[in-house]
Amino acid sequence: MVKAVKGTIIECDTSVKQIIIGLNEKYQFIIEDLDDTHVYIDTTYVEQLRHDIDEILNENTYKVEEKDQK
């Protein structure tokens, strides 16, 4: 008997995929790890995943502060 599971395929680079795998330990949303750049996840976690990835990437982004020129 075949069982269908509703989900969403996420395409990303390998560094973001490692973040997704790390977040999976908290939420358990990965249905299938397809290859180096694709993951099949539970659709109900897409928005939460997007928010968490944006937060992590913003924390790890180097920001240049411009000095006021007088």
Side-chain angles (χ1 to χ4, degrees):
M1 175 113 183
V2 177
K3 182 178 178 182
V5 178
K6 185 176 181 180
T8 302
I9 294 178
I10 303 293
E11 180 180 17
C12 55
D13 60 17
T14 54
S15 60
V16 173
K17 185 176 176 193
Q18 291 305 312
I19 294 170
I20 292 172
I21 291 170
L23 290 171
N24 186 58
E25 294 175 9
K26 181 177 180 182
Y27 298 115
Q28 300 298 315
F29 53 80
I30 293 180
I31 298 169
E32 188 71 34
D33 187 354
L34 301 173
D35 61 26
D36 289 342
T37 58
H38 295 86
V39 181
Y40 188 59
I41 67 166
D42 185 340
T43 302
T44 59
Y45 289 96
V46 171
E47 287 303 317
Q48 179 67 40
L49 181 62
R50 183 176 289 145
H51 176 266
D52 289 350
I53 289 173
D54 284 343
E55 233 176 61
I56 291 168
L57 292 177
N58 283 336
E59 288 173 5
N60 295 321
T61 300
Y62 179 73
K63 295 177 181 136
V64 176
E65 294 182 21
E66 294 184 23
K67 294 183 181 181
D68 291 333
Q69 295 180 0
K70 294 184 181 182

